[in-house]
Amino acid sequence: MSEDVPESHPRHTSLVTRERIVEGVKRGLTSHAGLVAQGRGETFDYLLGERTIESAARAERAAAALMLGADHPVISVNGNVAALVPRAVGDLARATDADVEVNLFHRTEKRIERIAAHLRDNGVDKVKGLAGDATVPGLDHDRARVDADGIAAADVVLVPLEDGDRAAALAKTGKSEIVVDLNPLSRSAEAATVPVIDNVVRAIPAMTAHARSLAGRSDVELQGIAERVDADAAREYAERAIRSGDLR
Ligand code: PTJ
């Protein structure tokens, strides 16, 4: 259990995060593949120094502005996100007036129901994803299913830790896509309108803080902030940080 990891441990946060994923698997929220994804994420986070790099901080502000200025923003939640940041997802949804939709790569009705219940237990009032009555074009069978009044109707979708195929297919629908992914070279990050190269445990609370401080800005101002991010430059900055990182 995470309480067993002493706070004095130099990698306390990373170990607690890992424990949350293990717990998520035990509770049937997170897929077994989610463990592998977590391991990959940990590697990139280690190489980034387990901190929010400057370009990611700028992208988080832009992402918040994009969501605030949207007509219908939706936060997509998978098994890893549900285990790691259930409360933070609710906070961001309230701060940006966004829908929350459970949308799984390894889709089972049982896991969707469990995740929806877990999110509700953590203060998310309304959870979509159970209907699955629309599809994202270009994807085969269950991986394509989304809610007609959720992701299918959204103009801005936040997809943390997404599979590359699905992120690319969603981008092709013309929606603006915010991707949180620690790997700047991933196809998901490449598909993003706003790539946030940061750990979801830091990125979602940071986006909420930005959304709160940007509340009340005009649509023109929000659009200006959102457009100021150069997606290619953000990915390149992160790649440089990883390749040249001095971790000692
Ligand atoms: O719950 P499901 O069925 O929807 O499945 C979710 C996973 C994440 C298992 C599924 O979407 C998947 O297989 O994803 P990938 O292709 O492994 O991609 C996950 C990406 O997220 C990788 O590029 C990781 O580096 C990155 N990642 C992992 N943990 C974090 C992360 N990025 C940000 N924060 C993290 N904590």
Side-chain angles (χ1 to χ4, degrees):
M1 293 294 285
S2 50
E3 303 87 66
D4 297 336
V5 181
E7 281 194 34
S8 57
H9 193 290
R11 311 210 49 255
H12 177 262
T13 309
S14 171
L15 292 175
V16 168
T17 306
R18 181 185 294 186
E19 281 300 321
R20 281 195 217 154
I21 290 288
V22 171
E23 198 61 28
V25 173
K26 284 186 193 156
R27 295 178 59 183
L29 305 169
T30 309
S31 70
H32 287 106
L35 290 167
V36 180
Q38 166 70 17
R40 189 142 40 129
E42 280 184 15
T43 309
F44 284 106
D45 207 13
Y46 183 81
L47 293 171
L48 282 165
E50 293 170 351
R51 71 200 155 105
T52 299
I53 57 173
E54 222 179 286
S55 59
R58 282 195 296 271
E60 281 155 7
R61 186 162 184 266
L66 192 59
M67 290 180 79
L68 279 176
D71 289 329
H72 186 177
V74 176
I75 304 170
S76 176
V77 175
N78 63 23
N80 286 53
V81 175
L84 291 177
V85 281
R87 273 197 184 274
V89 163
D91 291 341
L92 180 60
R94 281 185 290 278
T96 57
D97 202 15
D99 276 348
V100 174
E101 177 167 336
V102 181
N103 189 245
L104 303 182
F105 182 75
H106 308 278
R107 184 184 174 102
T108 69
E109 298 302 308
K110 201 174 220 169
R111 199 152 64 89
I112 295 177
E113 278 165 20
R114 281 196 193 125
I115 291 173
H118 178 66
L119 290 170
R120 283 192 294 268
D121 288 348
N122 280 279
V124 182
D125 310 326
K126 196 160 177 286
V127 182
K128 293 187 174 173
L130 282 156
D133 49 356
T135 52
V136 175
L139 292 171
D140 50 8
H141 52 83
D142 274 358
R143 291 191 311 160
R145 286 173 64 184
V146 290
D147 278 17
D149 64 351
I151 288 176
D155 54 347
V156 173
V157 187
L158 166 62
V159 284
L161 283 78
E162 185 55 286
D163 159 74
D165 251 16
R166 296 208 315 166
L170 199 59
K172 278 197 192 136
T173 63
K175 300 176 194 304
S176 297
E177 194 172 9
I178 301 161
V179 169
V180 180
D181 193 318
L182 280 157
N183 178 3
L185 303 172
S186 78
R187 285 187 307 134
S188 304
E190 273 173 17
T193 319
V194 178
V196 177
I197 313 300
D198 199 6
N199 197 317
V200 73
V201 302
R202 295 188 298 268
I204 303 282
M207 286 170 61
T208 303
H210 284 302
R212 286 178 182 148
S213 75
L214 290 171
R217 298 283 188 104
S218 71
D219 283 350
V220 175
E221 278 180 291
L222 292 171
Q223 200 182 338
I225 295 166
E227 282 174 359
R228 228 171 284 149
V229 156
D230 175 339
D232 286 332
R235 286 184 291 261
E236 281 162 21
Y237 187 105
E239 188 183 344
R240 263 200 317 279
I242 287 170
R243 289 188 191 278
S244 65
D246 178 8
L247 297 169
R248 302 270 159 218

